[in-house]
Amino acid sequence: QHLRKLRARDPKSGTQVGSAGGWKLDIYPGDYIVHRRYGIGQFERTLVQDKVIKEGSEEANLILKRRKKIVKAAKKRGYTEKQLLTLMENFGTEKDPDPISRPRISLLEISYSDGMVHVPVDKAYRLSRYQSSDASVAVKLSKIRGDSWRKQKLKVLESTLVLAEDVLALYARRETLHRTPFDPRLEPLIQTFEETFPYTPTPDQNSCFETIENDMVWRRRPMDRLVCGDVGFGKTEVALRALYRCVANGRQAVLLAPTGVLASQHYKHVLARLGPTSPFNVSIAKLVGGMGKNTKVGKAIRAQIATGEAQLIVGTHALLAEGIPYNNLGLLVVDEEQRFGVKQKEKIKIVCNGVDVLTLSATPIPRTLQMSLSGIRDTSTIKSPPPMRKAIQSIVETQTKDIVADALDRELARNGQVFYVVPRVKQIDEATEYLNAIHPGLEIVVAHGQLKGNEAEEAVSYFTEGNGDVLLATTVIENGVDIPNVNTIIIQNANSFGLSTLYQLRGRVGRSNLQAYAYFLHPKTGLTDEATARLSAMAELQELGSGFDVAARDLEIRGAGSLLGSDQSGLAERVGFDLYMRMLKRSIRQLRGMDLPMVPRTKVLLPMREGSLEIRGQNGKVLDGGELINSNTAIEEAEVGEGDYFEISKGYMPNDAERASEEGSARLAESTQILVELTNAWKEKYGPMPSELKNQLKTLHLHVCTRLLGIDLIGLIPSTVSEEPNVQDCILRSPGLRPRHWAAFVNAYPKNTQPQNIDAYFPKLFSTKDADMTFWGGKKLDEEGIALAKSIEHVPQPTLSTGKDAVEFYSAMMEEDEDWDAADEEEIEAMKDADPTTTVSAVNVKDLAIDIEVDQYPYIRFRDFGSVPEGKRVDALLKG
């Protein structure tokens, strides 16, 4: 039977395949995989063999040219006729060492119930890893011959289309939720806090900072974002910047932690960075278990929350109790979301209704991961490790006294400390005797959840200060215990813990530049298949930044469960969860039709700042007395938002609150129609608009259009197409734009012809050809362009889920499946291969011609734009 085995993995024998989440997953000989054309198979090995070359192809001509060159070089070196003949006879054989003359290819050998399939390594994106949710059931391999796999896929595809409709309905409902966005004029003040971070942020952290700013400042719907990152990779700093943005805008913020130990650590950290003794003077309170509404301290803290005196509150589930009187709550940060139970999450939903929510997790629970992969929930990942961080060496072994003794001796010999974790409190005493017998004289500190009052926190603090050799604990240390001097953790009966918990426990060590060790010890017998799978995952996933991979593996082990209340696990079982989620994403894309990704903001870099909405200024204003402004200071007094912010004059709209609300609504309008409706309402209520406001509204109309078109940068560069000197073109960079999108736009123009002066450029990495691609202005779409335009037209789902029409519909989608997946994989690889300068965020670009390689990304070009008169540039772009 094909059952999972706990075995050591040789990294050299493995390879990587893609996943629904866009990250890479490792597979090893013996693992089960899914090839979307052939079905469920077993990966046997990687082999290298001669490549089959089609006669008359371009590659065949290259080989011929190479061999002629080799013969020519041999003649120059004085080869005899006989030697030349031998040389030519060896071409394409094992005696041919030249890689061009004898091209070879790496193949993945996959066995099926009735044969073998060889998949080129560069086509590994067609594979996904398969793992049944029921470890005790033998995996049934598919047949290459016959139609059974195709029929299974058709059934699954039909179900994903139904589910996709539900997902899109959820998208639509989510977009109807609105709240007042955070003020962009205060962003220079947020920068003053960012500058107090003592480390250089990693690339992924910078990406998270920008994404969350966009969510809070440049979107009307409340943020609901999951940040997934390994323990110690900087999620807390991401949260702190969001929390300060909230309080700087005069709203209350909450940081929710699952345990008192973690809440206390967060409280100390937040107090040091933002508290009354810092330049930011934020009032911070802590509310944890034991501070009930009838206690003296509980009453005092609740009063501070009610009056708004407490600007930022850190605490545990006590913050979710009924009757907590929040005062203008703007942001809820949930740390380690997977530790909260169902009832607590229901309370979180009540608290965060209409409030921005930021969730932090190293290993999101399966349902959260499903929502992330399907796009229901916005997700950011932090996979780049801090400098000098080393991967933790994981050891999965049967527990013996010798192994424990060796682990203790190694760590204590370098003056370090050790964590020793047991599953249950009742095992603490037995473990104490066990450790003392192995290593007499150990100073053992004990911490667990059943200690009275703050005893557990005090024990951890005592150990953190360097006291004691071993901290003997339960999972109370799973979160929030960060001690650089502890670089060995020993987990007894590791088979009793869930995968997420094991991963979190491993993350308690390795916080310094020393090599850290994690021992996952288990009994000699009695391991269940599921426990074996969890321990195998810990042995395999040892790379830095493996948190999301662990979550994906946990999902495979525990099963797909249900999404949107519909039980999909059985269908996901048929094709493997990963392929199921890919098919779901594919169905969502098919039903959406035009899938051009929007951007939350556009940076415009035109002369005289025409069309710009950027806020200038690097620092918050320092008031008399040397204190930085905080949320209690009026924005008008702060004067931090100099620049091109959209503002309605007080003379036209006198009420401050109404004016601020209308400015936000106009700035983030989702369509030009909404802008027109807004302005019509203003005219009826306040009369004709002043000319300055009309000009500002043109800029807003431009930004509505550019956001919808995915344009994140606009600026001038010296023309690369004009033969005349000193000509400047306007470049509109749109990273998500593809030829099919542009073809659809052109198809909507009269006579299928785009304007004379407007081109669309696509580099080779993103074109449909093996070369750069340009749609030239003034030219009509050719047959290929018309086909591209039709490829993204909305295809309605048949009314009946069975019958000839439905079969033809689903079959047509299946025909395109390989092309869609190949395109997705090419884009992932293209982003990796692109020059690093092209990935510079639009926010950091000051000059298109200097700061980025423009030709590495798709863009729209307005030719000879430098000749457009001052004050008319926004009009010229809108006309295009």
Side-chain angles (χ1 to χ4, degrees):
Q1 285 194 338
H2 302 292
L3 298 179
R4 300 187 185 102
K5 302 294 181 186
L6 181 57
R7 58 187 183 276
R9 301 286 203 175
D10 177 8
K12 294 179 181 178
S13 68
T15 189
Q16 289 189 319
V17 296
S19 70
W23 63 88
K24 294 293 184 181
L25 296 177
D26 294 319
I27 59 169
Y28 295 89
D31 284 347
Y32 298 103
I33 58 86
V34 183
H35 188 294
R36 59 182 51 85
R37 177 174 290 177
Y38 303 112
I40 300 167
Q42 189 168 30
F43 174 43
E44 299 292 348
R45 60 174 177 152
T46 302
L47 56 90
V48 179
Q49 67 180 34
D50 291 337
K51 191 174 183 181
V52 178
I53 306 299
K54 188 177 180 181
E55 191 175 345
S57 66
E58 186 179 342
E59 194 168 0
N61 293 332
L62 287 173
I63 292 171
L64 189 60
K65 287 180 183 178
R66 178 62 176 169
R67 291 176 178 176
K68 286 180 179 179
K69 191 174 181 180
I70 292 171
V71 171
K72 188 176 180 181
K75 285 180 179 178
K76 284 186 178 181
R77 292 199 299 270
Y79 272 40
T80 64
E81 287 295 327
K82 186 176 180 180
Q83 287 174 316
L84 288 172
L85 184 61
T86 302
L87 175 67
M88 289 186 285
E89 286 175 348
N90 289 339
F91 282 147
T93 70
E94 291 181 1
K95 295 180 180 179
D96 186 354
D98 191 275
I100 299 177
S101 172
R102 185 197 175 197
R104 312 247 310 151
I105 186 170
S106 295
L107 300 170
L108 307 177
E109 188 172 270
I110 301 164
S111 61
Y112 289 84
S113 63
D114 60 346
M116 198 80 71
V117 170
H118 292 98
V119 179
V121 169
D122 62 351
K123 302 292 184 185
Y125 58 80
R126 292 179 177 173
L127 305 175
S128 54
R129 196 171 58 204
Y130 178 86
Q131 195 151 10
S132 166
S133 61
D134 188 347
S136 64
V137 176
V139 176
K140 185 178 180 181
L141 301 184
S142 303
K143 289 183 178 180
I144 301 171
R145 299 169 186 83
D147 208 26
S148 59
W149 172 248
R150 190 172 185 279
K151 287 178 179 177
Q152 281 192 56
K153 255 184 41 165
L154 275 171
K155 288 180 181 178
V156 173
L157 179 59
E158 182 181 347
S159 79
T160 62
L161 280 162
V162 174
L163 184 55
E165 293 279 12
D166 293 338
V167 170
L168 291 175
L170 187 60
Y171 284 159
R173 286 198 299 274
R174 189 175 65 169
E175 293 302 324
T176 62
L177 300 174
H178 290 166
R179 54 91 172 97
T180 303
F182 293 84
D183 199 320
R185 289 173 292 181
L186 289 172
E187 285 308 297
L189 174 60
I190 312 306
Q191 291 176 22
T192 62
F193 173 68
E194 294 170 357
E195 289 163 6
T196 66
F197 187 47
Y199 307 103
T200 301
T202 63
D204 287 345
Q205 274 185 304
N206 280 326
S207 176
C208 278
F209 297 151
E210 182 183 331
T211 302
I212 290 168
E213 178 191 340
N214 288 337
D215 284 346
M216 296 178 75
V217 178
W218 298 94
R219 282 201 171 104
R220 292 184 69 196
R221 68 169 169 82
M223 173 174 67
D224 182 13
R225 181 166 296 277
L226 166 68
V227 174
C228 183
D230 261 16
V231 180
F233 273 37
K235 299 189 298 294
T236 302
E237 180 63 22
V238 172
L240 282 175
R241 298 187 184 194
L243 289 164
Y244 183 56
R245 176 176 291 109
C246 180
V247 297
N249 275 264
R251 303 184 204 178
Q252 212 166 49
V254 166
L255 173 54
L256 180 64
T259 66
V261 172
L262 182 54
S264 294
Q265 178 169 317
H266 279 321
Y267 178 69
K268 292 174 185 176
H269 190 54
V270 172
L271 206 59
R273 291 285 303 278
L274 287 170
T277 59
S278 75
F280 307 99
N281 193 26
V282 174
S283 174
I284 302 166
K286 182 174 78 167
L287 187 66
V288 295
M291 298 180 180
K293 60 183 179 181
N294 296 322
T295 64
K296 184 177 180 181
V297 66
K299 287 179 181 178
I301 292 171
R302 283 168 172 77
Q304 291 174 16
I305 294 172
T307 61
E309 180 186 345
Q311 297 170 283
L312 199 165
I313 307 101
V314 181
T316 59
H317 56 276
L319 292 168
L320 304 175
E322 289 184 17
I324 298 292
Y326 293 112
N327 187 316
N328 191 23
L329 183 62
L331 173 67
L332 172 66
V333 176
V334 182
D335 196 9
E336 300 303 343
E337 168 253 11
Q338 76 278 0
R339 294 291 306 276
F340 290 93
V342 175
K343 289 183 179 179
Q344 291 166 334
K345 286 176 182 173
E346 289 302 318
K347 290 181 179 178
I348 290 173
K349 287 180 183 178
I350 295 170
V351 169
C352 69
N353 186 30
V355 171
D356 283 28
V357 179
L358 180 62
T359 303
L360 312 178
S361 180
T363 52
I365 61 172
R367 181 174 172 80
T368 300
L369 183 62
Q370 284 180 280
M371 295 177 76
S372 165
L373 295 181
S374 63
I376 298 171
R377 193 169 189 183
D378 296 327
T379 306
S380 298
T381 57
I382 303 179
K383 297 198 77 172
S384 46
M388 305 300 291
R389 182 66 60 86
K390 293 180 180 179
I392 301 163
Q393 188 172 328
S394 298
I395 300 100
V396 179
E397 289 284 356
T398 302
Q399 180 150 354
T400 65
K401 289 184 177 181
D402 288 341
I403 288 175
V404 175
D406 288 344
L408 290 170
D409 289 341
R410 180 194 296 113
E411 191 58 54
L412 296 177
R414 58 181 181 179
N415 297 316
Q417 296 167 285
V418 177
F419 288 138
Y420 192 94
V421 181
V422 294
R424 297 177 181 84
V425 174
K426 65 181 181 181
Q427 296 171 322
I428 292 282
D429 291 340
E430 183 183 333
T432 302
E433 294 177 11
Y434 178 76
L435 291 173
N436 280 325
I438 292 172
H439 208 297
L442 281 177
E443 184 184 351
I444 299 174
V445 180
V446 174
H448 57 78
Q450 293 182 16
L451 292 174
K452 295 178 182 178
N454 296 325
E455 286 183 18
E457 292 174 33
E458 290 171 0
V460 172
S461 296
Y462 175 79
F463 191 71
T464 303
E465 292 166 2
N467 303 303
D469 300 312
V470 176
L471 178 64
L472 174 57
T474 57
T475 53
V476 70
I477 66 161
E478 179 183 344
N479 305 103
V481 180
D482 304 324
I483 310 173
N485 196 45
V486 182
N487 285 292
T488 295
I489 184 169
I490 303 170
I491 304 169
Q492 178 180 304
N493 293 339
N495 52 297
S496 300
F497 296 96
L499 187 55
S500 172
T501 299
L502 290 174
Y503 189 73
Q504 289 284 352
L505 288 171
R506 181 169 70 181
R508 293 306 102 210
V509 296
R511 295 304 187 98
S512 68
N513 58 358
L514 296 176
Q515 178 62 59
Y517 301 89
Y519 289 82
F520 301 95
L521 306 182
H522 58 84
K524 193 171 183 178
T525 59
L527 288 185
T528 66
D529 290 300
E530 221 173 84
T532 301
R534 291 195 296 269
L535 294 175
S536 293
M538 295 310 299
E540 293 164 22
L541 301 173
Q542 298 198 36
E543 295 297 317
L544 291 168
S546 299
F548 220 41
D549 299 349
V550 168
R553 189 71 66 89
D554 195 23
L555 192 147
E556 292 171 350
I557 294 168
R558 292 165 62 179
S562 64
L563 184 64
L564 298 175
S566 303
D567 185 10
Q568 304 292 325
S569 56
L571 292 164
E573 188 85 12
R574 293 185 182 185
V575 297
F577 174 77
D578 194 85
L579 179 56
Y580 180 83
M581 293 308 296
R582 285 184 176 190
M583 293 172 74
L584 174 59
K585 291 172 74 175
R586 158 90 165 60
S587 296
I588 291 170
R589 184 174 175 178
Q590 180 78 14
L591 294 177
R592 267 182 164 173
M594 181 63 76
D595 58 328
L596 176 60
M598 290 176 56
V599 294
R601 62 197 286 196
T602 304
K603 188 167 188 176
V604 181
L605 299 170
L606 294 177
M608 306 304 294
R609 301 192 306 278
E610 281 189 62
S612 173
L613 286 178
E614 294 299 308
I615 306 300
R616 300 194 308 280
Q618 295 300 315
N619 295 293
K621 181 179 177 181
V622 179
L623 302 178
D624 293 339
E627 289 187 358
L628 286 169
I629 67 165
N630 61 24
S631 58
N632 296 319
T633 307
I635 290 173
E636 289 81 0
E637 182 183 354
E639 296 179 0
V640 296
E642 296 180 0
D644 307 302
Y645 179 80
F646 172 72
E647 289 183 296
I648 302 171
S649 68
K650 196 166 186 175
Y652 183 69
M653 199 174 290
N655 185 281
D656 291 343
E658 187 174 356
R659 189 172 66 256
S661 175
E662 293 299 305
E663 285 173 349
S665 297
R667 178 170 63 88
L668 300 180
E670 284 97 2
S671 68
T672 55
Q673 181 184 347
I674 291 174
L675 266 181
V676 170
E677 290 171 357
L678 271 173
T679 52
N680 286 340
W682 297 347
K683 289 175 189 175
E684 286 184 15
K685 189 169 184 179
Y686 301 105
M689 293 186 294
S691 58
E692 183 182 348
L693 180 55
K694 288 180 181 178
N695 288 330
Q696 287 191 81
L697 283 167
K698 285 183 183 178
T699 296
L700 292 190
H701 277 281
L702 173 65
H703 280 258
V704 168
C705 296
T706 57
R707 291 198 302 268
L708 290 172
L709 292 172
I711 296 166
D712 65 345
L713 265 176
I714 298 177
L716 301 182
I717 64 167
S719 179
T720 57
V721 294
S722 175
E723 296 179 358
E724 299 295 323
N726 302 320
V727 173
Q728 288 187 309
D729 295 334
C730 184
I731 299 297
L732 290 72
R733 186 178 80 163
S734 179
L737 186 68
R738 298 294 177 264
R740 63 179 182 275
H741 302 135
W742 187 253
F745 295 145
V746 176
N747 202 36
Y749 278 109
K751 299 181 180 179
N752 299 341
T753 304
Q754 65 197 65
Q756 186 71 35
N757 66 321
I758 301 176
D759 310 319
Y761 167 83
F762 301 92
K764 176 182 174 181
L765 295 170
F766 302 106
S767 77
T768 56
K769 302 176 180 177
D770 194 27
D772 295 348
M773 186 176 183
T774 302
F775 288 78
W776 294 101
K779 291 194 174 181
K780 192 173 182 178
L781 276 184
D782 56 17
E783 289 184 7
E784 182 186 2
I786 293 171
L788 283 170
K790 288 183 177 180
S791 72
I792 59 173
E793 290 178 0
H794 175 79
V795 182
Q797 184 183 352
T799 323
L800 299 175
S801 59
T802 57
K804 185 179 177 182
D805 290 343
V807 171
E808 288 179 359
F809 172 76
Y810 297 127
S811 297
M813 289 188 67
M814 297 273 284
E815 294 289 329
E816 302 166 12
D817 193 52
E818 295 290 335
D819 295 334
W820 283 68
D821 289 321
D824 289 343
E825 179 66 18
E826 285 166 11
E827 291 189 14
I828 291 169
E829 294 304 317
M831 295 304 294
K832 290 178 182 174
D833 295 338
D835 189 292
T837 56
T838 65
T839 59
V840 172
S841 163
V843 173
N844 299 323
V845 175
K846 296 178 181 177
D847 188 323
L848 262 68
I850 297 173
D851 294 336
I852 64 169
E853 293 288 339
V854 173
D855 289 345
Q856 296 290 329
Y857 271 94
Y859 62 74
I860 302 164
R861 174 173 52 219
F862 281 64
R863 277 181 259 146
D864 192 20
F865 200 79
S867 63
V868 177
E870 182 181 325
K872 299 294 183 182
R873 298 183 182 104
V874 171
D875 290 313
L877 289 171
L878 284 171
K879 286 178 183 176

